[in-house]
Amino acid sequence: MKNRQATRLLFELSKPGSAEDILPDCDVPEEPAESLLPGELLADQPPPLPEVSEPQVVRHYVNLSQWNMSVDTHFYPLGSCTMKYNPKRNDRAANLPGFVNLHPYQPEATLQGLLECLYRLEQMLAEIAGMDAVTLQPAAGAQGELTALLIAAAYYRDRGEKRTQVLIPDAAHGTNPASAAMAGFHAVEVRSDHRGMVDLEDLTAKLDSRTAVFMITNPNTLGLFDVNIRRVADLVHAAGGLVYLDGANMNAVLGIVRPGDCGADMMHFNPHKTFSGPHGGGGPGAGPVAVNQHLADFLPVPRIISAPGGFRLDSDRPKSIGRVRSFCGNIGVLLRAYAYLRTQGAEGLRQVSERAVLNANYLLQRVRHIIPVPHGVRCMHEFVASALKLKASRNLSAMDLAKRLLDYGFHAPTVYFPLIVREALMVEPTESETKETLDAFAEVLFRITEEPEELLHEAPHTTPISRPDEVRAARNPILKWTPQADSV
Amino acid sequence: MAYLPQSDDDIRQMLEVIGVSSVDGLFDHIPQEIRLRGPLKLPAALSEAALQQHMEALAACNSGTDRTISFLGAGCYDHFIPAVVDFIASRSEFYTSYTPYQPEVSQGNLQALFEYQTLITQLFGMDAANAGMYDGATAAAEAVLMAIAAQNGKRKVLVPESLHPEYRQVLRTYTANVDVSITVLPTPGGRVDAAAIAKQLDSKTACVVIQQPNFFGCVEPIHDVIQAAHAAGALVVAVVDPISMGLLKRPGDLGADLVAAEGQPLGIPQQWGGPFLGILACREQVLRRMPGRLAGQTTDRQGRRCWVLTLQTREQHIRREKATSNICTNQHLMAIRAAVYLALLGPHGLRKAAILCLNKAHYAARVFTRDSGLLPAFEGPFFKEFVLKAESPAEVARIQERAFEAGFFAGVPLGTWYPDLQDAILFAVTERRTREEIDALSQCLACARRSSTAAERLVR
Ligand SMILES: Cc1ncc(COP(=O)(O)O)c(C=O)c1O
């Protein structure tokens, strides 16, 4: 069934003269480009793009699409990514012509429906966060982190304090330390204790007058709720620091715990995860940031405000950090989040988290005899198992299990993250999976561990390709097609 | 609620296996004092049918470029989007998958990325392109950060006023807390003066940013800027309109070191500014400093050609605080849109798009100035945008109002960003604008001007 011909590279399918004519003919008097533009800047010929007909383009991409696993086609328990079902009604709503065709500089009076929607979204996110003000501008979670850290930097500048360090648990996602560095801070690692919580002793030892921010992910990347969060926040505040909450795992606690009530000063959401994205093969996402009142003046401009005459954009905020991107955010993603929140309501959202946690705990119980879960028998919306024992007894790695799962039609869990668990398999089923799917996954996982070792080392066997040679890819990077390149 | 698939019976069985008596029990380790008491204060849940009605009602309160004929540009354009682009981007297998961490079940996304990267290098004449950034502004800011990292110890960046004001703002935000000094160069004539840039270049200058065509639509003497920068040992970050590549020389062919671009014109809807696509391309020499994802070619165990994410030791999940950037989730689906757009248009389609924009913009500039007496703010060549001057800021407002009543978005007033241009309007004309529409707006501008001068006379 695999169409090898249509999936050759676009450049190999290219044939001069076969390009489609999509654009209209010119209906104004034409002048030669040479008479309108400086000759030394005019190209002799257009860029050497491929020439492919429309039917070829469609067959090419539709065939390519079928080489991907996706939420709509497969169980996709990729930990930390919340690969839940994306309600189609949200796509339809966000794609209404009255939203899709808006220009960022058209008059505010012509945008009242959109601004109302975004304003209400900010309010809903503030309520879920338990915080006071929200910006929708950041384009993804990582940019939300950067935005918040720049806000912290501006806050301390404004107070005349010089604080240079951002403290980050060793279990944190890589974007946390990377964002700290981009914002001009030094990242300092804080240990996790044997239960997987922030090690309070280590935290206390590292907190001092240099501490600007402590970034905490809660539930953390082990899928555990850090029950000390209130105490952690008190310690950080006592040292004069701010608490940032990485909200990538909010799917576990919607309507149950609010970061603001735990002492966090600011946080980001990942609407592409928690509020049903979709993930788009790697993006776009969004990264709204919520902050408490004392940080609100530093939020990026423009802010959406509700004034007597209607909704307006306000850029007159002298303390603002400025803009973190052009225009006002990934609106298409934000509209889907708005639609999601409106159809769930308070009760529905709480149920989302309850079912996500139920599914994860059920699956944990079903698989922990096969792959142990080092940090306990309970979890929130995800859990991190370890293949270390299987590695010792049968020479099977987390990678082997992940690859073999693909053969059975399951996307693999996140592997080798967080870094503090060896041979980690991070499993997040989300609320949208049936008990039958979870049972099937557990049964397959068990069956796999009984299979011959070699079968797993060579897995996957049924996918469009077998394991690629990643070392070769990195040693001699080929990042684009060239006419001379071999077509194997 | 049909959204959740577990039946009551399922839940009972699952709780039994877990060994708790209720779903609530799954949360009982969370201290009471931080748990939310009572429900979130959110609006009542809507059914799907009610949601659709609600969203339609909100959408109806907007008047976008589907109802109003748009001459708005300034970084976001009403270019034509072929049906195939929407169709491919709505394939579940693309839009409900995620980052290709498992290459064996992500070859579609990976090959699409590899093709995208190739198309971008072809479009701009560069050595390598990454899998995309958030938007044009962040791509430009990260390109500057790359240039600084590559230029040991040089911390000065030259930025002309003719670079999109929001791109300058983002650059300022990104560098607010690090040791970088940004020098903004005035462009009173609407274009940079290469000689003035040469005077500002010194041994501390890491890079010069230049937008082509620039924010005002003017075509910059980019070759002179590149020459001057290179002579002083500075790199050049070119911010380029991808559609203009149908006519203009590619920045790579002119010697630019880094290219950042907004990919929105390539088949991405305006959506009030996002999601868009940050295009980032570079020369081989700075490749290891590239932020974000890169798809690379390799072979599988049977020796078949395939694709993986590569050079990942640059990225945050491996290198953490030493990563080249913090970007993780990017704008993948938008990169696919851009690739499909470029594949559909091909070299001749792109050339045609560029020629249509060029001719229609020049036709519009001609008839607008002829009919209404508005004057060009700048001399010199332009591509698909141009700036016209009215009598006063008040007249700008009146023109906008009148034109809107007649069904037009008559350009972007520049006063917000440029105190010297309070009386100026930036018009964009894409291939979508017809002669009829241009003529009609021209009449409307003339009318608005006549009545506004009459109104002013009355007041006097
Ligand atoms: C725990 C955690 N923090 C932060 C991020 C970064 O979010 P994004 O990928 O949207 O930039 C992610 C996801 O990738 C994550 O899992």
Side-chain angles (χ1 to χ4, degrees):
Chain A
M1 251 185 65
K2 209 173 142 179
N3 188 338
R4 292 254 168 226
Q5 195 273 332
T7 52
R8 289 163 64 211
L9 290 169
L10 286 171
F11 320 99
E12 296 159 353
L13 295 170
S14 172
K15 211 165 63 188
S18 60
E20 197 64 24
D21 213 2
I22 287 167
L23 301 175
D25 285 332
C26 196
D27 60 354
V28 300
E30 279 191 83
E31 281 179 66
E34 301 76 50
S35 68
L36 300 175
L37 295 170
E40 71 266 27
L41 287 174
L42 281 176
D44 299 333
Q45 56 203 26
L49 300 170
E51 297 179 56
V52 195
S53 67
E54 178 170 328
Q56 280 179 297
V57 169
V58 170
R59 190 171 287 166
H60 176 76
Y61 279 102
V62 172
N63 270 284
L64 283 188
S65 78
Q66 293 176 338
W67 294 359
N68 293 334
M69 275 190 178
S70 68
V71 171
D72 280 353
T73 55
H74 296 85
F75 179 39
Y76 209 127
L78 190 69
S80 210
C81 298
T82 315
M83 303 300 290
K84 63 170 75 177
Y85 167 67
N86 315 116
K88 304 307 166 200
R89 51 180 172 248
N90 301 347
D91 296 320
R92 186 165 66 180
N95 282 330
L96 286 168
F99 290 124
V100 169
N101 298 303
L102 300 178
H103 188 283
Y105 298 139
Q106 67 182 65
E108 285 160 1
T110 64
L111 292 166
Q112 289 299 305
L114 176 76
L115 293 178
E116 178 177 342
C117 209
L118 298 176
Y119 185 81
R120 288 199 198 174
L121 176 60
E122 286 186 358
Q123 288 186 317
M124 291 193 284
L125 293 176
E127 168 66 9
I128 295 167
M131 295 186 189
D132 300 315
V134 170
T135 174
L136 302 174
Q137 203 176 100
Q143 211 193 19
E145 296 167 18
L146 176 65
T147 303
L149 293 172
L150 291 169
I151 287 172
Y155 168 78
Y156 289 118
R157 225 180 355 257
D158 186 56
R159 291 164 61 94
E161 287 185 58
K162 188 149 178 61
R163 289 177 177 262
T164 53
Q165 296 186 344
V166 172
L167 273 46
I168 300 167
D170 52 9
H173 196 261
T175 50
N176 289 191
S179 298
M182 272 186 95
F185 292 105
H186 295 295
V188 177
E189 195 167 279
V190 175
R191 271 197 306 275
S192 302
D193 66 17
H194 65 283
R195 297 168 309 157
M197 313 280 159
V198 172
D199 185 327
L200 293 179
E201 234 170 81
D202 197 40
L203 174 66
T204 313
K206 286 172 179 157
L207 278 169
D208 59 29
S209 62
R210 291 170 298 178
T211 308
V213 179
F214 178 62
M215 298 179 89
I216 184 168
T217 308
N218 204 21
N220 65 22
T221 60
L222 294 166
L224 303 174
F225 189 89
D226 196 321
V227 293
N228 299 323
I229 181 150
R230 188 73 245 190
R231 170 126 181 77
V232 165
D234 289 344
L235 287 169
V236 174
H237 289 152
L242 295 168
V243 176
Y244 179 78
L245 186 123
D246 178 331
N249 296 336
M250 284 301 286
N251 209 44
V253 292
L254 298 168
I256 294 163
V257 177
R258 304 192 307 168
D261 298 339
C262 301
D265 302 284
M266 43 186 183
M267 70 169 294
H268 81 257
F269 288 94
N270 293 64
H272 45 302
K273 302 176 181 182
T274 316
F275 306 130
S276 84
H279 286 75
V289 168
V291 300
N292 273 329
Q293 198 52 51
H294 57 296
L295 298 168
D297 285 349
F298 304 96
L299 285 169
V301 281
R303 303 285 315 281
I304 302 167
I305 55 174
S306 171
F311 295 95
R312 280 204 307 113
L313 294 174
D314 179 18
S315 290
D316 187 17
R317 305 260 167 165
K319 290 189 176 178
S320 164
I321 60 165
R323 294 185 154 275
V324 295
R325 55 161 297 157
S326 60
F327 314 123
C328 292
N330 279 349
I331 305 306
V333 181
L334 296 165
L335 287 172
R336 285 169 173 81
Y338 176 82
Y340 185 76
L341 292 173
R342 289 308 308 268
T343 47
Q344 294 300 333
E347 177 65 18
L349 273 191
R350 194 188 156 96
Q351 264 188 24
V352 160
S353 286
E354 289 176 349
R355 299 291 172 87
V357 173
L358 176 72
N359 269 359
N361 275 285
Y362 176 70
L363 192 55
L364 185 157
Q365 289 304 327
R366 293 290 322 258
V367 306
R368 74 188 175 95
H369 310 290
I370 315 164
I371 38 171
V373 178
H375 289 89
V377 295
R378 288 277 201 85
C379 66
M380 296 298 283
H381 65 301
E382 66 190 352
F383 61 89
V384 180
S386 168
L388 204 58
K389 278 221 180 94
L390 279 169
K391 181 112 184 165
S393 62
R394 300 214 41 222
N395 191 26
L396 296 181
S397 64
M399 188 63 83
D400 293 332
L401 298 181
K403 296 300 183 195
R404 187 62 179 146
L405 279 168
L406 306 177
D407 279 330
Y408 287 92
F410 294 114
H411 195 281
T414 296
V415 287
Y416 301 103
F417 176 75
L419 307 177
I420 59 171
V421 175
R422 291 170 66 196
E423 295 296 326
L425 290 138
M426 184 188 217
V427 188
E428 181 179 14
T430 83
E431 71 277 14
S432 16
E433 298 302 328
T434 60
K435 176 171 172 294
E436 288 74 19
T437 301
L438 305 181
D439 287 337
F441 180 81
E443 278 151 29
V444 160
L445 194 63
F446 179 70
R447 177 155 7 140
I448 286 175
T449 57
E450 304 272 284
E451 287 181 335
E453 203 181 297
E454 311 75 60
L455 193 68
L456 268 76
H457 293 326
E458 289 299 317
H461 302 273
T462 58
T463 48
I465 59 159
S466 60
R467 283 192 211 187
D469 186 345
E470 303 200 10
V471 176
R472 171 179 168 159
R475 190 179 303 135
N476 173 29
I478 303 174
L479 305 177
K480 63 176 181 191
W481 174 87
T482 49
Q484 305 83 36
D486 59 332
S487 56
V488 184
Chain B
M1 166 80 77
Y3 170 72
L4 295 168
Q6 303 84 358
S7 69
D8 290 347
D9 205 38
D10 291 338
I11 296 174
R12 210 168 321 114
Q13 291 179 35
M14 292 163 85
L15 288 171
E16 210 168 294
V17 170
I18 299 167
V20 291
S21 57
S22 69
V23 172
D24 255 358
L26 295 168
F27 297 90
D28 57 14
H29 58 296
I30 300 179
Q32 277 303 327
E33 69 266 24
I34 55 170
R35 289 186 60 167
L36 182 65
R37 276 174 265 267
L40 288 167
K41 293 184 191 66
L42 296 178
L46 301 174
S47 65
E48 173 167 343
L51 173 80
Q52 182 68 16
Q53 258 177 345
H54 172 66
M55 296 301 277
E56 279 173 5
L58 284 170
C61 299
N62 302 322
S63 177
T65 58
D66 51 329
R67 291 207 234 152
T68 306
I69 298 161
S70 175
F71 289 82
L72 301 168
C76 173
Y77 301 93
D78 186 17
H79 285 292
F80 181 72
I81 300 177
V84 170
V85 177
D86 284 334
F87 168 75
I88 301 291
S90 65
R91 286 289 302 195
S92 280
E93 301 92 327
F94 283 128
Y95 94 90
T96 74
S97 56
Y98 202 21
T99 310
Y101 295 123
Q102 296 293 335
E104 298 88 345
V105 291
S106 311
Q107 282 301 297
N109 277 325
L110 283 162
Q111 183 175 331
L113 271 187
F114 183 79
E115 290 175 344
Y116 163 81
Q117 290 170 188
T118 306
L119 290 163
I120 295 305
T121 59
Q122 293 175 338
L123 189 62
F124 295 116
M126 300 298 286
D127 293 337
N130 77 357
M133 308 300 288
Y134 301 135
D135 68 349
T138 58
E142 296 241 23
V144 167
L145 295 178
M146 272 176 87
I148 289 169
Q151 290 271 62
N152 265 336
K154 299 186 182 182
R155 317 294 295 182
K156 181 170 151 185
V157 180
L158 297 184
V159 179
E161 264 190 325
S162 56
L163 173 66
H164 196 304
E166 294 197 3
Y167 288 37
R168 282 186 275 129
Q169 289 168 355
V170 171
L171 182 59
R172 221 176 299 134
T173 306
Y174 266 55
T175 54
N177 212 28
V178 294
D179 172 27
V180 171
S181 86
I182 297 171
T183 306
V184 177
L185 305 169
T187 51
R191 301 197 294 159
V192 303
D193 173 357
I197 288 192
K199 277 202 203 103
Q200 290 285 339
L201 281 158
D202 59 31
S203 61
K204 292 270 177 282
T205 309
C207 67
V208 180
V209 184
I210 178 100
Q211 184 175 357
Q212 181 75 320
N214 69 22
F215 180 69
F216 306 120
C218 299
V219 174
E220 297 273 19
I222 184 170
H223 47 302
D224 292 338
V225 174
I226 292 173
Q227 215 164 41
H230 285 175
L235 299 179
V236 173
V237 175
V239 176
V240 183
D241 176 355
I243 300 292
S244 74
M245 292 294 93
L247 274 173
L248 295 178
K249 275 192 182 146
R250 303 182 301 172
D253 296 335
L254 294 168
D257 303 281
L258 291 133
V259 169
E262 176 49 70
Q264 184 271 333
L266 306 175
I268 299 172
Q270 300 173 80
Q271 303 180 82
W272 206 54
F276 281 4
L277 168 67
I279 295 172
L280 183 55
C282 70
R283 296 209 171 283
E284 187 79 44
Q285 294 87 305
V286 287
L287 176 63
R288 304 259 161 186
R289 301 190 191 276
M290 184 75 107
R293 296 179 184 135
L294 288 166
Q297 183 177 314
T298 186
T299 49
D300 74 355
R301 291 195 174 169
Q302 279 71 45
R304 290 174 294 202
R305 179 173 69 173
C306 61
W307 290 274
V308 292
L309 291 180
T310 196
L311 300 181
Q312 293 190 69
T313 50
R314 300 164 298 110
E315 290 189 72
Q316 45 75 28
H317 60 284
I318 311 244
R319 195 50 70 80
R320 299 177 79 83
E321 67 271 20
K322 297 198 180 62
T324 51
S325 167
N326 66 341
I327 191 168
C328 178
T329 294
N330 60 12
Q331 305 281 119
H332 180 85
L333 197 63
M334 304 297 123
I336 291 189
R337 292 187 78 101
V340 174
Y341 179 91
L342 288 171
L344 283 171
L345 261 73
H348 307 296
L350 188 72
R351 188 172 185 85
K352 184 164 178 182
I355 289 176
L356 284 170
C357 290
L358 179 77
N359 277 293
K360 290 183 181 221
H362 282 80
Y363 175 75
R366 224 162 29 240
V367 296
F368 290 178
T369 47
R370 181 197 66 201
D371 296 346
S372 69
L374 292 168
L375 292 175
F378 307 118
E379 284 168 24
F382 61 93
F383 174 53
K384 69 182 185 196
E385 288 176 279
F386 54 90
V387 180
L388 298 184
K389 278 192 155 197
E391 290 278 314
S392 64
E395 197 189 46
V396 168
R398 239 179 342 253
I399 286 175
Q400 302 270 304
E401 262 163 48
R402 282 302 184 82
F404 181 69
E405 281 160 19
F408 298 97
F409 287 131
V412 178
L414 293 181
T416 333
W417 300 293
Y418 298 92
D420 297 350
L421 295 171
Q422 298 285 344
D423 50 358
I425 306 174
L426 175 65
F427 291 90
V429 190
T430 68
E431 78 288 348
R432 290 245 297 149
R433 297 288 69 84
T434 63
R435 180 177 190 159
E436 222 173 295
E437 291 168 344
I438 296 168
D439 289 343
L441 176 59
S442 193
Q443 288 313 311
C444 174
L445 293 175
C447 236
R449 286 215 85 191
R450 270 200 302 277
S451 64
S452 73
T453 33
E456 259 153 36
R457 239 177 272 132
L458 264 181
V459 172
R460 264 184 233 134

